[in-house]
Amino acid sequence: MSQEAPAPAPDRRRNRRGAFPRKGFRVFGLGLQDFIRYFFGGNASFAIIVLLLICYFLAEQAFRFFPAHRQGLKIYREAGQEFVDQIKSELAAHSRLGGDLNIAYLSEVNASSQREDNLVRALQAVQTAVEDRTGHLSERLEDARETVEDLRDDLEDAAADPAKTAELQAALAQAEGRADALAPQWHGEAEAALDDPDIWRLDANPVKLTDAERVEIRDAVLRSEPGLDDVELPFFDALRKTSADKKAAAREGYAEFKTHLDALRGAARPLQSLSGDLVDIAAENRQRLDKFETAPARRRALLEGAEATMDPEERARKLKMAEEVVMEAPDYDALARPFYDQVAEHGKLAAQVRAAVVTAYEALPKPDDPAIRTPPGREKLRAAAADYAHLMETLTRVEKTLPKWRHDKPVSRTRGVLMFFAGRDWVTNSSWHDFYGLLPLLTGSFLISVLALVVAVPFSVASAIYVNQLAGRREQNLIKPAIEFIQAIPSIVLGFFGILVLGSFLREWSQGQLHVSPHGFVGSLPVIREIFTGICGFLNWVAQYVPGFPMSERLTMLNAGLLLAFMTVPTIFTLAEDALNNVPHSFTEASFALGASKLQTILRVVVPSSLSGIVAAVLLGFGRIIGETMVVLLVAGNKIQIPDFRAGLGVFAQPAHSMTGIIAQELGEVDQGSIHWRALFLVGMVLFTISLVTNFIAQRILAKYHVKA
Amino acid sequence: METAMPEAPPETIPAAPIEPAAAPPDSRGDIVVEIDDVNFSYDRKKDVLRDITMDIRRNEVTAFIGPSGCGKSTLLRCFNRMNDLIPGAAITKGRIRILDTNIYDPAVDVIELRKHIGMVFQKYNPFPKSIYENVAYGLRIQGIRNKSVLDQAVEESLVAAGLWEEVKDRLDASGLGLSGGQQQRLCIARTIAVQPRIILMDEPCSALDPISTTTIEDLITRLKDQYTIVIVTHNMQQAARVSDKTAFFYLGELIEFNDTLQIFSAPHKRATEDYISGRFG
C-alpha cells in the first residue's frame, strides 16, 4: 500500500476542492461577489449612519438648551426683572387702553372735517403725481428760480460795488430768461399730465371730486409752479381754515371725552415713575449677576491668553486682569431688597390707577353711544372695552402675585420647558432679558401651512383626477410635465416673485385699487383691455367682502401661503396621481360593467379607493410646506408676534414669522454654544419632529389602507 | 388609461327591443344574442376574430372553450362593449344583435346596454366597500336611494348568489375580507342585483379552489332558470358540467358550436376532438 501513496496525492488535492471548485480570487475567504455586495451595502448604511449622527447631534445640542434656559430664568428672577415685568404688564395694559381710546377720540374729531381734509389730501396727491410726471422739467425750473433768488440776494448785498452789480445784473437777467423760458414748457407738460385720467386716480383716498373741485385742484396745481414760494391758493386756504375751525368746534363737543381720556391716561404716571426706577435697579442687578455668572469663564480665558502670549508685558497685564475678575458671589438678598420695599408702594399706586381708570372709563362713551359716529371710532371703543377688561384682570392678578414674589424661589424644570413651548414672546439680543417662546413661530408656521394646504389640495387633487381619469394622452403629456416643472423653480425665485409681484397685487387688490394701466401692454389692446378692466372691477368688488382686507402690508401670511400652495401643488399632484393610478383596473372595469358612467366610476369607485393615498399625499405636502424656508423667510413679513386671532379669517392678512425662517435668519449671527444658539437648535428639533410624525403617519396610512389589486 | 371611450349620444336605447325581463314571449330557446359574421380587431390591422356566426339562446348556459388567445374572451367582451375601453378596438365586419338590437348602432346607449348585460370577471373584484354597498352599487348608480328597495334587492341578490346565510350578520364588513369564493359570489350578487338579461362570465372559477368552484358551478346551474349565461372557461370538465351549448374557438375562428353533449361525446371536427381530448392547447 505504501508504494501507492504518492499517486493519489493530486487526487486528494482535487477532492479537497470538491467537484465544483469556486473560481476567481479570494481574500480572507471572501470572493468578488461578497465585495460587490459589501460595497452596495456599505453605501446604504453610510446614509443611515449619517442620518443617525445628525439626529444625535441635533438632539444633543437642542436638549442642552433647557438647563441653560432655566439658568437664564433664575437670573431673571434674582435680578428682580420678573418683578418689574409684572408692573410693566400693568402699564402695557393701561397704555393700550389709553391708546385705543385716544384713536377713537381723534377719529371722532377728525371726522368733522373729513371732506375738507380729503380735498386737501387730494390736491397734494395730484400735485405729487404731476411733479413725478414732469420730474426733470420741474427740477430745472426749480433750480432756475433758486438761482434767480440767490442772485437777487447777492445783488442787494453788493449794492455798493457798481462793477459787481453790473455783472450780477447780467447774470440775473440770464437766469430770469431761463426761468421764463422753462415756465411755459412746464405748464404745457403739467396740463398734459392733468388731462390724463390716471393722475386723478387718488390712491386710498375715498373722496369723490365734483367737477368744480377738479377745476380748483387743476388751477391750484398749475399755479404752484416749482420754485415759487407763497403761492396764494384762496380755495385751499379757506378749506384749511374751515377744517381747523370744524375741528376746534368738534373738540369742544368732545371736551368731556377729552377730560376723562386725559384723566385716564395720566392716572398711571406715578406707577410709571416707580416702574422706571425699578427698571434701572433691575437692569443694574442683571449686569452684576451676568458678570458673576461669566466670571470663571472670563478668568479662564484671560489665563489661557496669558499662557499663550510670548510678550512678558502683555502676559503680566493679562494675569493682572485675571486677578481683578470679581469672583465673589453678590449678595442676592441685598439686590432684591429694593423690590420688597416697593411692594406696599406698588399696591397703593395700583389701587390709585384702578380707581382713576374705573371712574374715567365709566364716564366715557360706550361703543353703542349715538354720539360716536365714525366706524373706526366705534371699533376702537369696542377694542377699548376688551382692553379695559384685560387691564382690570392684570391689575387683580399682579396685586395678588406681587406680594408673593420671592427672588430666591427656585425655577422649576416644568416652568423652564413651558416657557419655551408655551412662551408667547421670542425676544433676542435684548438689553433686558431674552425670551425664547415658541408660540409665535409655531402659530406662524401652522397658519401659513394650513392656508397653503387649503388652497393647494383642491387644485392638486382635481388636476390629478383630471389627468389620471379624464384627460387624453396628449393632454396628459402636456399637463403632467408642466405641473412637475413647478418643482424645478428655485424657491428664491418664487420668493422674489412673491415680494415684487404677488405682494403688490394682493395689497392693491385688498384696497380695491386694481386697474389696468393704460401704458402697459394689456392697456394697449382694445378689447382685452375692456375685459381686464371688467375683471379688475369684479375683483375690487369682491375685495370688500374678503376678511382682513384692506391690508397695509405686502408681506403677509396670505402671500406666503399662496406661494407655498403653488410650490406644493406638484408634490400633492404627483402623489395623488400615483394613488389614483394604483386603483386596480378591475374596479373600474367592474363599475363600467354594471352600467356606471365615467363620472360615477370616478366619484364612487376610483376616488374612494385611492383616498388613503390622497390623504397621504396631502400629509406629505404638509411636511414639505412646514419645512420650506426661503419663501417664508422672504415673503411672510417676519414679524415675531402671535397673530391677532380676533380678526377671524382676516388673521391671514397679518405678517408672521416661522420656525424655519427664524433659524435661517438668526443662526448666522449667534455665538456658538450660546443659549440662543441652542434655542434655534431646539426649534429645529421641533420642526424635525413635526416632519417625522407627519411622514410616519402618511406612511402608516398608505400601508394600512393600501388596496391590493 | 381608457382615453377614448366612444360613447353613443345619450339618447336612450330604442324603445322596443330591450324591455324589462317580463316581456311576453319569454320562453326558453328564443334567440337572445345573434352574432352575424363578425370580425373584430384591436388595432384595425389584424383581425383577432374572424367570420363568427352563432346564436345564443334564452335561459341556456353557453360555454366558450378554446386555447389561450383564441378570441373567446374578446367575443364575450363584445357583448357588453367592454372592448370600447380599449382605444382602437372595434368590430370590423358583421353585426351583433342582442334582443333584436344592433348593439353597435350609434343610437345605442352603452351605459343602458351594460345595465342589461352583467359581467363576472376572471379575478373576483369586489369594490373596497362593505358587502352591502357592493351589492347596492349598481342600483345606487341608477339613482335608487330608497332604503327599503335597496335592502330588499341586496337580500334577494345575496340569496340568489347563495351568499346570504354566510354574510347576513356582517353586511357592513368590507367585501375584501371574504374568502376568494365568497368574493366571487359577491360579484355575482352584485351583477344580478341590477337584474340583467344576460350574464357574461369570463373564466369565473379560474382563481378559485375546487370547492369554491363547485359552489359557483351549482350557482350557475340555478341561475340558468332566470338568466341567459355565457361562460368562458379553460376547464373542459366545467364546460361539460354546467353548459347546454358549447362553442369551440381556435385561432380567432369558431370551429364548432353545438350541444354540449354532442361536442364532448362526438365532435364533428377533428380540431375539437384533439382539443377536448387534450392533444393540444
Side-chain angles (χ1 to χ4, degrees):
Chain A
M1 293 300 262
S2 61
Q3 62 264 49
E4 285 175 4
D11 262 73
R12 233 190 349 258
R13 209 163 32 234
R14 197 186 301 150
N15 280 346
R16 207 167 44 229
R17 299 187 64 191
F20 315 103
R22 290 212 222 198
K23 295 201 180 93
F25 78 98
R26 301 191 70 74
V27 183
F28 303 124
L30 301 172
L32 182 62
Q33 297 296 324
D34 298 303
F35 281 108
I36 291 174
R37 185 186 131 89
Y38 292 135
F39 171 75
F40 285 105
N43 281 299
S45 40
F46 182 71
I48 293 173
I49 290 170
V50 170
L51 176 70
L52 287 178
L53 281 177
I54 289 176
C55 289
Y56 171 75
F57 176 73
L58 259 179
E60 200 238 348
Q61 292 300 327
F63 287 119
R64 277 160 69 184
F65 165 80
F66 289 112
H69 186 223
R70 206 162 137 236
Q71 180 63 19
L73 287 175
K74 185 170 154 264
I75 298 180
Y76 173 64
R77 179 169 284 175
E78 283 167 351
Q81 288 171 308
E82 193 184 35
F83 184 92
V84 181
D85 271 345
Q86 296 199 42
I87 304 181
K88 275 187 175 171
S89 73
E90 294 177 308
L91 288 172
H94 175 268
S95 99
R96 211 165 89 178
L97 172 62
D100 278 344
L101 286 170
N102 194 38
I103 295 175
Y105 168 73
L106 289 178
S107 151
E108 289 300 304
V109 169
N110 289 341
S112 60
S113 59
Q114 203 170 23
R115 179 83 198 157
E116 289 79 6
D117 291 346
N118 278 340
L119 276 177
V120 173
R121 248 175 259 142
L123 168 65
Q124 282 159 354
V126 173
Q127 219 160 12
T128 318
V130 169
E131 230 163 78
D132 283 350
R133 288 278 176 90
T134 59
H136 184 55
L137 209 51
S138 320
E139 268 169 41
R140 278 168 64 201
L141 183 55
E142 203 167 337
D143 283 349
R145 288 254 160 76
E146 262 168 36
T147 318
V148 170
E149 288 296 311
D150 291 347
L151 287 171
R152 284 211 178 110
D153 290 346
D154 291 350
L155 205 55
E156 263 175 48
D157 295 341
D161 187 346
K164 203 168 181 191
T165 309
E167 193 187 315
L168 283 170
Q169 262 168 345
L172 178 63
Q174 201 188 352
E176 277 176 337
R178 206 167 52 231
D180 290 345
L182 284 170
Q185 270 186 47
W186 179 84
H187 263 271
E189 283 211 9
E191 272 182 62
L194 284 167
D195 286 336
D196 181 353
D198 236 21
I199 283 274
W200 296 92
R201 198 185 301 280
L202 303 167
D203 285 346
N205 194 338
V207 70
K208 287 262 180 295
L209 300 173
T210 63
D211 286 342
E213 283 160 351
R214 267 170 199 264
V215 172
E216 288 292 347
I217 290 179
R218 187 191 173 89
D219 180 53
V221 170
L222 289 177
R223 270 208 281 166
S224 27
E225 282 173 30
L228 284 189
D229 297 333
D230 310 326
V231 184
E232 294 261 318
L233 299 172
F235 178 74
F236 287 96
D237 291 341
L239 274 181
R240 287 201 181 89
K241 187 165 176 338
T242 325
S243 160
D245 288 348
K246 278 189 175 171
K247 277 199 186 101
R251 261 191 221 108
E252 231 158 83
Y254 288 101
E256 206 186 334
F257 192 134
K258 180 74 177 157
T259 322
H260 293 306
L261 178 61
D262 287 345
L264 190 147
R265 299 182 89 190
R269 221 155 278 144
L271 191 60
Q272 269 159 359
S273 77
L274 173 72
S275 155
D277 294 346
L278 291 178
V279 163
D280 292 345
I281 297 173
E284 220 170 278
N285 286 352
R286 174 73 189 235
Q287 252 181 4
R288 201 153 140 45
L289 289 172
D290 278 345
K291 247 190 185 156
F292 169 65
E293 195 71 19
T294 55
R298 270 184 299 141
R299 180 177 210 165
R300 206 165 42 242
L302 281 169
L303 287 175
E304 274 168 19
E307 281 298 299
T309 31
M310 293 298 151
D311 184 7
E313 215 170 288
E314 179 76 9
R315 171 177 292 193
R317 202 175 59 81
K318 284 202 168 151
L319 283 175
K320 189 160 164 288
M321 277 169 68
E323 283 299 301
E324 281 169 1
V325 172
V326 185
M327 294 292 283
E328 77 197 68
D331 180 356
Y332 291 105
D333 295 334
L335 291 181
R337 196 158 306 124
F339 304 106
Y340 291 118
D341 290 347
Q342 297 298 339
V343 169
E345 176 70 7
H346 166 266
K348 205 181 81 194
L349 294 180
Q352 278 177 16
V353 171
R354 181 193 287 270
V357 167
V358 168
T359 325
Y361 185 75
E362 290 305 324
L364 283 169
K366 299 288 166 286
D368 44 7
D369 194 316
I372 303 302
R373 292 184 308 258
T374 62
R378 270 197 294 277
E379 196 185 303
K380 282 294 164 189
L381 282 181
R382 260 194 290 279
D387 296 342
Y388 177 72
H390 176 65
L391 172 61
M392 289 301 139
E393 227 171 80
T394 314
L395 284 173
T396 316
R397 179 167 53 82
V398 175
E399 199 179 358
K400 263 197 221 131
T401 55
L402 215 51
K404 280 194 247 158
W405 177 79
R406 287 288 168 273
H407 72 282
D408 48 3
K409 193 174 149 208
V411 180
S412 72
R413 264 171 223 283
T414 1
R415 186 171 159 77
V417 174
L418 272 185
M419 284 286 278
F420 177 78
F421 284 106
R424 303 174 66 86
D425 301 293
W426 179 280
V427 184
T428 54
N429 293 332
S430 124
S431 57
W432 177 248
H433 177 76
D434 287 357
F435 293 95
Y436 301 98
L438 185 67
L439 275 190
L441 310 173
L442 196 69
T443 41
S445 279
F446 260 99
L447 283 177
I448 293 172
S449 310
V450 165
L451 177 68
L453 273 190
V454 166
V455 176
V457 167
F459 274 105
S460 25
V461 173
S463 350
I465 290 176
Y466 180 75
V467 167
N468 191 270
Q469 296 289 319
L470 299 167
R473 191 154 298 269
R474 202 175 298 164
E475 281 174 296
Q476 280 184 347
N477 289 342
L478 189 76
I479 298 173
K480 263 171 87 166
I483 292 184
E484 275 152 18
F485 177 74
I486 296 173
Q487 230 158 7
I489 304 176
S491 56
I492 184 85
V493 175
L494 271 186
F496 183 72
F497 173 83
I499 294 176
L500 294 179
V501 183
L502 187 62
S504 307
F505 168 80
L506 286 175
R507 184 170 64 173
E508 220 172 278
W509 176 36
S510 77
Q511 292 169 345
Q513 297 288 330
L514 286 184
H515 62 273
V516 178
S517 162
H519 309 293
F521 172 68
V522 173
S524 62
L525 306 167
V527 179
I528 295 179
R529 180 179 55 216
E530 297 312 313
I531 297 172
F532 271 76
T533 310
I535 296 173
C536 287
F538 174 72
L539 286 177
N540 287 339
W541 174 78
V542 169
Q544 301 169 50
Y545 302 100
V546 178
F549 278 13
M551 327 188 277
S552 49
E553 316 257 357
R554 278 188 314 161
L555 305 181
T556 58
M557 288 190 264
L558 177 65
N559 192 343
L562 291 180
L563 278 180
L564 281 180
F566 182 65
M567 285 183 72
T568 335
V569 164
T571 309
I572 303 180
F573 167 82
T574 310
L575 292 167
E577 216 250 299
D578 276 353
L580 292 168
N581 220 2
N582 281 338
V583 173
H585 198 61
S586 63
F587 288 175
T588 38
E589 220 171 29
S591 174
F592 285 130
L594 284 164
S597 67
K598 186 93 205 176
L599 198 67
Q600 284 172 324
T601 304
I602 291 171
L603 293 182
R604 286 169 184 261
V605 174
V606 178
V607 172
S609 305
S610 57
L611 203 57
S612 64
I614 293 174
V615 170
V618 172
L619 278 178
L620 290 173
F622 173 78
R624 167 140 171 67
I625 298 173
I626 200 134
E628 165 59 36
T629 308
M630 194 43 80
V631 164
V632 180
L633 184 66
L634 289 176
V635 172
N638 295 352
K639 189 173 182 193
I640 309 179
Q641 192 187 47
I642 296 179
D644 186 0
F645 284 97
R646 283 179 301 181
L649 278 179
V651 72
F652 291 111
Q654 299 167 16
H657 216 313
S658 61
M659 295 190 284
T660 46
I662 202 97
I663 297 177
Q665 192 178 19
E666 296 186 347
L667 200 56
E669 303 162 6
V670 298
D671 296 333
Q672 192 172 351
S674 69
I675 177 172
H676 188 180
W677 196 68
R678 295 196 195 292
L680 293 178
F681 266 99
L682 194 54
V683 174
M685 273 301 285
V686 172
L687 262 175
F688 185 70
T689 315
I690 293 173
S691 293
L692 204 70
V693 169
T694 324
N695 266 296
F696 180 72
I697 296 175
Q699 300 295 352
R700 284 295 295 270
I701 290 177
L702 273 180
K704 183 162 181 193
Y705 297 101
H706 184 70
V707 179
K708 282 168 245 36
Chain B
M1 279 313 84
E2 324 70 13
T3 41
M5 203 175 98
E7 275 179 20
E11 300 139 47
T12 41
I13 204 155
I18 299 184
E19 279 288 286
D26 206 29
S27 56
R28 187 184 182 95
D30 287 351
I31 294 172
V32 177
V33 182
E34 191 185 340
I35 305 158
D36 183 12
D37 199 21
V38 163
N39 277 21
F40 180 87
S41 168
Y42 281 113
D43 52 10
R44 315 228 166 184
K45 286 177 200 143
K46 183 175 166 287
D47 288 333
V48 295
L49 289 176
R50 281 184 305 277
D51 309 328
I52 309 288
T53 303
M54 66 189 290
D55 296 334
I56 290 169
R57 288 168 193 277
R58 190 184 301 280
N59 294 41
E60 281 185 353
V61 177
T62 306
F64 288 3
I65 61 171
S68 294
C70 66
K72 55 195 189 305
S73 283
T74 303
L75 180 62
L76 191 76
R77 284 165 174 261
C78 285
F79 297 166
N80 63 347
R81 286 178 57 178
M82 285 301 272
N83 287 327
D84 289 5
L85 301 178
I86 301 160
I91 284 192
T92 50
K93 191 183 90 180
R95 287 182 309 171
I96 298 178
R97 293 168 64 81
I98 295 181
L99 299 168
D100 293 332
T101 307
N102 177 3
I103 59 166
Y104 283 88
D105 191 287
V108 167
D109 181 358
V110 66
I111 287 173
E112 200 59 33
L113 172 76
R114 287 179 190 152
K115 283 176 189 165
H116 290 84
I117 305 175
M119 186 161 194
V120 176
F121 295 84
Q122 177 174 8
K123 179 80 172 78
Y124 42 87
N125 56 355
F127 300 123
K129 297 169 182 278
S130 68
I131 294 170
Y132 183 95
E133 285 304 323
N134 260 292
V135 181
Y137 181 84
L139 298 171
R140 284 202 193 274
I141 56 174
Q142 291 179 22
I144 296 170
R145 292 214 190 83
N146 188 326
K147 182 88 172 90
S148 56
V149 172
L150 289 176
D151 284 349
Q152 197 192 344
V154 167
E155 182 174 346
E156 281 173 8
S157 312
L158 284 171
V159 168
L163 196 58
W164 176 251
E165 286 304 320
E166 292 159 62
V167 300
K168 65 180 176 189
D169 301 324
R170 47 175 175 145
L171 292 176
D172 288 332
S174 169
L176 298 177
L178 299 172
S179 76
Q182 287 174 323
Q183 291 197 28
Q184 190 63 296
R185 275 182 283 150
L186 179 61
C187 293
I188 293 173
R190 177 175 70 184
T191 306
I192 57 187
V194 288
Q195 300 193 323
R197 306 289 294 273
I198 306 170
I199 299 178
L200 309 175
M201 294 187 172
D202 190 357
E203 299 180 41
C205 301
S206 64
L208 301 179
D209 62 85
I211 296 174
S212 304
T213 303
T214 315
T215 320
I216 302 269
E217 284 175 7
D218 290 347
L219 176 59
I220 292 171
T221 318
R222 268 189 286 124
L223 289 175
K224 189 167 80 170
D225 294 338
Q226 276 179 285
Y227 304 95
T228 305
I229 295 174
V230 185
I231 178 168
V232 168
T233 179
H234 270 135
N235 180 337
M236 274 167 291
Q237 285 74 29
Q238 183 172 62
R241 278 193 298 268
V242 301
S243 67
D244 303 307
K245 296 263 173 62
T246 297
F248 172 61
F249 291 84
Y250 183 58
L251 294 177
E253 281 172 42
L254 175 60
I255 305 296
E256 189 167 352
F257 177 43
N258 213 332
D259 286 345
T260 300
L261 273 177
Q262 184 72 42
I263 290 260
F264 281 94
S265 55
H268 294 305
K269 299 271 169 66
R270 180 67 191 271
T272 317
E273 194 180 345
D274 285 351
Y275 181 70
I276 57 178
S277 57
R279 247 165 281 173
F280 75 92

